[in-house]
């Protein structure tokens, strides 16, 4: 097994870190929004938060799969 570049592995792992950090930051924000009175405001903010959560989940999944490919040697690193 050939030696992997640490920098090549840090990119997908940072994507995982960023996605998890974003999910952790979104939960208290959503709970705060749910305590408001305006239904329209709740719907608009939860809709945008849902899109952010979806992007964060895909970032985590894509980062894990990319890191796995690098560790297994399936990624050549050629752009």
């Amino acid at each position: 097994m050939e030696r992997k570049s640490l920098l090549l592995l840090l990119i997908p792992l940072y994507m995982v870190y960023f996605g998890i950090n974003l999910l952790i930051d979104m939960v208290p924000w959503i709970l705060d929004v749910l305590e408001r009175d305006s239904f329209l405001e709740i719907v608009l903010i939860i809709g945008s938060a849902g899109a952010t959560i979806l992007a964060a989940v895909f970032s985590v999944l894509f980062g894990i799969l990319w890191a796995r490919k690098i560790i297994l040697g399936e990624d050549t690193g050629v752009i």
Side-chain angles (χ1 to χ4, degrees):
M1 185 175 194
E2 66 186 50
R3 187 169 182 239
K4 305 297 178 210
S5 170
L6 183 61
L7 182 61
L8 189 62
L9 191 58
L10 284 178
I11 296 169
L13 292 180
Y14 179 75
M15 287 178 61
V16 172
Y17 165 76
F18 177 75
I20 290 173
N21 194 20
L22 192 59
L23 288 172
I24 289 171
D25 289 343
M26 289 300 290
V27 171
W29 187 65
I30 290 173
L31 293 175
D32 181 50
V33 168
L34 289 176
E35 294 176 357
R36 299 182 186 191
D37 293 330
S38 171
F39 179 73
L40 182 61
E41 185 180 11
I42 290 172
V43 169
L44 290 175
I45 292 177
I46 295 297
S48 65
T52 305
I53 288 173
L54 187 62
V57 168
F58 279 122
S59 173
V60 170
L61 292 177
F62 184 73
I64 289 173
L65 291 176
W66 190 10
R68 181 179 171 265
K69 283 181 75 172
I70 291 172
I71 290 171
L72 294 177
E74 298 171 5
D75 188 38
T76 60
V78 176
I79 297 176

